[in-house]
């Protein structure tokens, strides 16, 4: 007898429904939303396939359950929702039942779950990008504060920090309050710059250890940020049957002569085959 499981995941608990190959409910459980508790609940039934929807915890749970030998699939939440709308009432229990039936019938579309390394790289780049935006916001705030009092920041040799020191030492002595404001903003900017430097060092360290990233950086105009971001986004190139499919996945309309994306995906495929 084959068994199939549907997992309706919430932040604290996960509702589990297990059905047999005829669709009859065999067992229902509600456990903590963690791989250990879910795998323990599924272990007595030796399920043929279990399924969960894409969501905030789906990556962590999918990877954890895979490591524990659970045959888990991650379903597109939009497709699953189209089926779950037919349930009489939307509850965690009913959603788990619906997901179990979807898994049993094979109506689900499996979603590729990126590797832990790819998610780590994406988190690193996203955090760095946030810090860069924050630095720009702080600089614009400083310019705006000074402009209110008729002080134009302008450009000077030596960069932003040098020009700010000149203004603080010269034009702001008459206004201790604004001087304190600008000094506080400059300290915050210095802290952000230090964090950006630390993350840049981490990015370069990862790039040196990744042959795919080094190969992508051989393309003129492609730096370490773009190369690492592209490699982390593609993750497993074998999931694309054609290089043009990768371009469609990234958003642009596919074209015959989209050489940049084709070359990049080819590089990753070749490196993966070595």
């Amino acid at each position: 007898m084959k068994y199939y499981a549907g997992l309706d995941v919430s932040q604290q608990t996960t509702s589990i429904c297990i059905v047999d190959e005829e669709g009859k409910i065999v067992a229902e459980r509600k456990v903590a939303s963690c791989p250990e508790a879910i795998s323990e609940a599924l272990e007595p039934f030796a399920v043929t396939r279990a399924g969960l929807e894409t969501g905030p915890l789906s990556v962590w749970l999918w990877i954890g359950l895979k490591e524990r030998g659970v045959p888990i699939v991650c379903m597109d939440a939009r497709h699953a929702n189209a089926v779950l709308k037919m349930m009489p009432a939307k509850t965690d229990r009913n959603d788990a039942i619906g997901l179990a039936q979807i898994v049993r019938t094979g109506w689900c579309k499996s979603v590729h779950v990126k590797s832990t390394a790819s998610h780590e790289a994406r988190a690193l780049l996203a955090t760095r990008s946030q810090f860069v935006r924050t630095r720009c916001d702080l600089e614009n705030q400083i310019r705006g504060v000074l402009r209110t009092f008729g002080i134009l920041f302008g450009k000077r040799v030596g960069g932003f920090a040098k020009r700010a020191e000149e203004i603080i030492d010269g034009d702001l002595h008459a206004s201790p309050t604004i001087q304190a404001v600008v000094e506080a903003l400059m300290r915050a900017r210095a802290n952000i710059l230090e964090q950006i430097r630390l993350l840049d060092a981490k990015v370069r360290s990862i790039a040196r250890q990744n042959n795919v990233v080094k190969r992508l950086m051989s393309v003129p105009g492609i730096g370490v940020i773009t190369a690492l971001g592209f490699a982390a986004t593609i993750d497993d190139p074998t999931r694309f049957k054609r290089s043009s499919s990768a371009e469609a996945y990234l958003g642009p309309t596919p074209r015959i002569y989209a050489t940049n994306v084709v070359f990049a995906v080819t590089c990753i495929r070749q490196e993966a085959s070595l």
Side-chain angles (χ1 to χ4, degrees):
M1 180 68 73
K2 295 181 179 179
Y3 297 103
Y4 304 87
L7 313 177
D8 184 66
V9 180
S10 63
Q11 187 170 353
Q12 300 296 331
T13 60
T14 295
S15 295
I16 301 175
C17 177
I18 301 173
V19 299
D20 60 20
E21 52 191 346
E22 295 180 355
K24 181 181 178 181
I25 297 176
V26 175
E28 294 181 272
R29 302 282 191 276
K30 178 168 281 192
V31 299
S33 293
C34 65
E36 296 85 357
I38 295 174
S39 62
E40 288 178 4
L42 298 178
E43 185 176 3
F45 301 92
V47 296
T48 302
R49 187 165 57 247
L52 52 77
E53 298 177 87
T54 54
L57 298 179
S58 59
V59 173
W60 172 55
L61 292 177
W62 187 91
I63 294 175
L65 291 172
K66 272 288 185 182
E67 291 175 348
R68 288 164 175 80
V70 178
I72 186 72
V73 295
C74 187
M75 296 176 280
D76 190 320
R78 294 171 299 177
H79 293 176
N81 184 56
V83 177
L84 296 178
K85 284 181 179 178
M86 295 186 292
M87 300 298 289
K90 183 169 177 59
T91 63
D92 293 345
R93 178 177 179 271
N94 285 342
D95 284 352
I97 295 172
L99 292 174
Q101 298 295 350
I102 293 173
V103 173
R104 179 183 67 86
T105 57
W107 289 348
C108 57
K109 181 178 180 180
S110 180
V111 176
H112 173 74
V113 179
K114 294 184 177 67
S115 64
T116 301
S118 291
H119 281 287
E120 288 175 348
R122 288 168 62 85
L124 176 63
L125 295 176
T127 302
R128 180 191 178 277
S129 178
Q130 181 62 52
F131 281 155
V132 171
R133 288 195 296 270
T134 302
R135 185 209 66 195
C136 293
D137 291 341
L138 289 171
E139 292 176 356
N140 290 334
Q141 177 69 12
I142 292 171
R143 288 189 174 95
V145 169
L146 295 176
R147 193 180 299 116
T148 303
F149 296 90
I151 303 173
L152 300 181
F153 200 91
K155 294 183 179 179
R156 291 293 188 276
V157 177
F160 189 93
K162 182 66 176 178
R163 174 55 179 159
E165 290 176 4
E166 293 176 357
I167 294 175
I168 292 172
D169 294 337
D171 299 333
L172 295 182
H173 282 305
S175 179
T177 300
I178 300 303
Q179 183 176 3
V181 168
V182 175
E183 288 176 345
L185 290 170
M186 287 300 298
R187 285 193 297 271
R189 178 181 179 273
N191 291 334
I192 291 295
L193 284 174
E194 178 61 24
Q195 298 306 314
I196 293 174
R197 281 191 286 269
L198 293 174
L199 293 182
D200 283 343
K202 184 64 177 177
V203 169
R204 290 191 294 269
S205 175
I206 293 176
R208 284 193 294 268
Q209 301 171 18
N210 192 316
N211 292 329
V212 171
V213 174
K214 289 192 291 186
R215 202 164 193 178
L216 290 173
M217 289 174 63
S218 66
V219 180
I222 301 298
V224 61
I225 300 296
T226 302
L228 181 59
F230 184 84
T233 300
I234 296 299
D235 187 38
D236 180 12
T238 60
R239 62 194 177 106
F240 299 106
K241 295 181 179 179
R242 296 178 299 275
S243 297
S244 58
S245 299
E247 186 174 5
Y249 172 77
L250 296 174
T253 302
R255 292 181 181 275
I256 297 177
Y257 301 106
T259 55
N260 289 338
V261 173
V262 171
F263 178 78
V265 175
T266 302
C267 286
I268 299 178
R269 278 182 170 171
Q270 291 176 350
E271 192 64 39
S273 64
L274 295 179

